[in-house]
Amino acid sequence: MTTNTTDVTAYVLRHADDCLVLAQRLGEWSSRAHELEEDIALTNIALDLLGQARHLYSLAGVREGMGRVEDDFAFFRSEREFSNVLLVEQPNGDFAFTMARQLFFDAYQLPFWQDLASSSDPDLAGIAAKAAKETAYHLRHSSTWVRRLGDGTQESHTRMQFAVDSLWRFTAELTTGDDLDRRLAADGIGIDPGALAPRWTSTVHNVLHEATLTVPDDPFQRTGGRAGRHSEHLGFLLAELQIVPRSHPGLTW
């Protein structure tokens, strides 16, 4: 099977979008976290994700071959053109919400990058190898906070459980593949998300158990982000993210 450039570009963009949107969400915590150390930690994680997004957008531009660069993908696409998973666009909520969202995403992204580091595409493999090292830290950070809050005071436990319950409906999309995933996995370029499900489940269930939290039993799962069908939150996020370059197109910094 020969993979066409359109498939590779679309595949790279969906994972770049994951990183960019979550980086924007975490950036909203800058100067607002409950302590200076956490303020710096969340900002650094956001910068890691932004760096991953930039590498992927740059690669997408090269593979597409139409002259678009990373800023074009980040600032001049509409909501329906973004293909990130729904989880990453959900609002920060309180700190428990942010950590639950981060745990769910980190537990998916770490094995994804680890497996993608063996991609037959050397550019993708190189990006993934570096990103895996960064994401290992992200997962340690989020899992530590989920344990601390879940097994903390009654108030922190209640808030953490509420966050886990509320965000659970967005988790199935992380490990649900589509035709694009399957085509690139068959060519040895991409990863079938379904293959990540056992590791995601093991990581998340272990952390929730150690945090004395209950694993939700919610059969209602939201999907559609990969196909450009998003929640009401993404449009507001993109409006804030894109307002300056759209207001002043061609501006140089």
Side-chain angles (χ1 to χ4, degrees), residues 6-226:
T6 300
D7 274 356
V8 175
T9 301
Y11 185 77
V12 171
L13 282 176
R14 62 174 47 178
H15 296 291
D17 291 345
D18 285 346
C19 295
L20 177 67
V21 172
L22 187 54
Q24 179 72 6
R25 277 290 183 232
L26 291 177
E28 295 170 3
W29 276 104
S30 294
S31 79
R32 292 178 172 85
H34 57 278
E35 60 186 20
L36 179 60
E37 183 178 2
E38 193 57 31
D39 198 300
I40 294 171
L42 291 175
T43 302
N44 282 335
I45 293 171
L47 288 172
D48 285 345
L49 290 164
L50 182 60
Q52 293 165 15
R54 293 190 63 183
H55 286 304
L56 291 168
Y57 283 139
S58 294
L59 178 60
V62 171
R63 296 302 173 84
E64 183 185 52
M66 296 177 62
R68 288 200 289 181
V69 297
E70 57 189 88
D71 282 0
D72 295 312
F73 293 119
F75 299 130
F76 296 100
R77 287 186 299 147
S78 68
E79 177 183 344
R80 287 302 299 268
E81 291 175 289
F82 273 72
S83 53
N84 55 277
V85 292
L86 298 175
L87 176 68
V88 297
E89 67 196 46
Q90 300 310 303
N92 287 330
D94 62 14
F95 189 67
F97 258 75
T98 294
M99 287 301 103
R101 185 188 63 205
Q102 198 65 36
L103 170 66
F104 293 155
F105 186 71
D106 294 341
Y108 148 78
Q109 200 180 42
L110 180 57
F112 170 77
W113 288 133
Q114 289 172 333
D115 287 3
L116 194 65
S118 299
S119 170
S120 60
D121 185 311
D123 294 320
L124 267 179
I127 293 171
K130 180 178 184 296
K133 297 175 183 178
E134 297 169 339
T135 308
Y137 162 74
H138 302 171
L139 179 57
R140 288 197 300 272
H141 180 265
S142 59
S143 60
T144 296
W145 270 111
V146 170
R147 293 187 190 98
R148 184 180 299 178
L149 294 173
D151 196 28
T153 65
Q154 183 59 50
E155 175 72 13
S156 69
H157 177 89
T158 299
R159 285 174 177 262
M160 194 73 249
Q161 185 67 64
F162 180 71
V164 168
D165 292 343
S166 299
L167 292 169
W168 192 259
R169 68 186 57 185
F170 301 106
T171 58
E173 187 176 34
L174 296 169
T175 54
T176 300
D178 59 11
D179 289 341
L180 177 62
D181 290 311
R182 286 185 281 273
R183 287 197 299 272
L184 270 76
D187 282 352
I189 295 173
I191 302 301
D192 182 356
L196 308 177
R199 282 174 284 174
W200 183 90
T201 299
S202 175
T203 297
V204 170
H205 284 211
N206 286 341
V207 172
L208 295 184
H209 174 75
E210 292 168 2
T212 69
L213 297 167
T214 301
V215 176
D217 182 18
D218 185 355
F220 179 70
Q221 288 290 323
R222 293 280 306 277
T223 61
R226 291 295 190 220

